[in-house]
Amino acid sequence: AESEAEAGQDGHVHEECDSASDDPKDGQLVGGLILRGNHCVLIRSLTGEWEGMRLPWGAADKDERGAEAAVRIVSELCEIEHTQVRVLDLAPATVAVPGMPIFLHALYAVDPPPAGFVGDVEDPEDLYDWYTFPRAMAALAKDAYARAALVTMACALA
């Protein structure tokens, strides 16, 4: 249908990208990359739902805007208050998993790090850890899609 696709400069028809919109479809996958200084948050499953670390993401609720969904999802997964992060004015990056794209929003931690904060230290008893970019890339070594989205986000923030 004409409304669902448009011709690009190359003359090919391209599907519209929902990531440009902040109005996801019900159940669309949305994530949030929490940043503070040169660190970002990766999460772990304490129940064994998945192995290793990953970006925080989940399904948007019906009528929930993408950025709102990202804040809700990171709040739930990291067990933090939604007021502890703010949305950065940046288009979401796409974690381009075939058949299940995840629209990753940039978020920033409102509070400064606690006294004596040391990043890149893993605490297997905690839901999340703070990583520098190189350590996050290493922690996501088995997830090429998440690594590509992290690189995209880093370039967009540079």
Side-chain angles (χ1 to χ4, degrees), residues 1-24:
E2 189 87 13
S3 64
E4 294 179 20
E6 60 184 37
Q9 287 183 331
D10 58 4
H12 291 91
V13 175
H14 302 277
E15 296 295 319
E16 284 187 3
C17 179
D18 285 336
S19 67
S21 167
D22 197 35
D23 191 17

Side-chain angles (χ1 to χ4, degrees), residues 13-70:
V13 175
H14 302 277
E15 296 295 319
E16 284 187 3
C17 179
D18 285 336
S19 67
S21 167
D22 197 35
D23 191 17
K25 298 174 185 169
D26 186 28
Q28 180 172 325
L29 300 178
V30 177
L33 180 64
I34 305 174
L35 304 162
R36 180 170 50 205
N38 67 340
H39 290 85
C40 68
V41 164
L42 298 179
I43 63 171
R44 71 175 48 82
S45 172
L46 298 179
T47 62
E49 187 177 343
W50 68 86
E51 289 185 29
M53 303 302 286
R54 74 170 171 91
L55 297 167
W57 60 269
D61 290 338
K62 184 177 185 199
D63 300 325
E64 188 175 37
R65 296 182 60 80
E68 292 169 356

Side-chain angles (χ1 to χ4, degrees), residues 131-149:
Y131 288 85
T132 57
F133 178 79
R135 294 270 298 140
M137 292 294 283
L140 298 170
K142 295 180 180 178
D143 188 345
Y145 302 111
R147 288 169 51 97

Side-chain angles (χ1 to χ4, degrees), residues 59-137:
D61 290 338
K62 184 177 185 199
D63 300 325
E64 188 175 37
R65 296 182 60 80
E68 292 169 356
V71 170
R72 176 187 56 80
I73 289 164
V74 300
S75 295
E76 291 173 0
L77 292 175
C78 298
E79 295 184 356
I80 61 172
E81 296 296 321
H82 71 277
T83 56
Q84 290 183 276
V85 295
R86 66 180 171 85
V87 179
L88 296 179
D89 187 21
L90 188 68
T94 302
V95 182
V97 179
M100 58 173 280
I102 303 165
F103 300 105
L104 186 67
H105 293 262
L107 309 174
Y108 204 84
V110 172
D111 298 320
F117 169 77
V118 178
D120 292 335
V121 175
E122 293 188 20
D123 180 357
E125 303 290 317
D126 203 354
L127 290 169
Y128 66 91
D129 288 319
W130 292 93
Y131 288 85
T132 57
F133 178 79
R135 294 270 298 140
M137 292 294 283

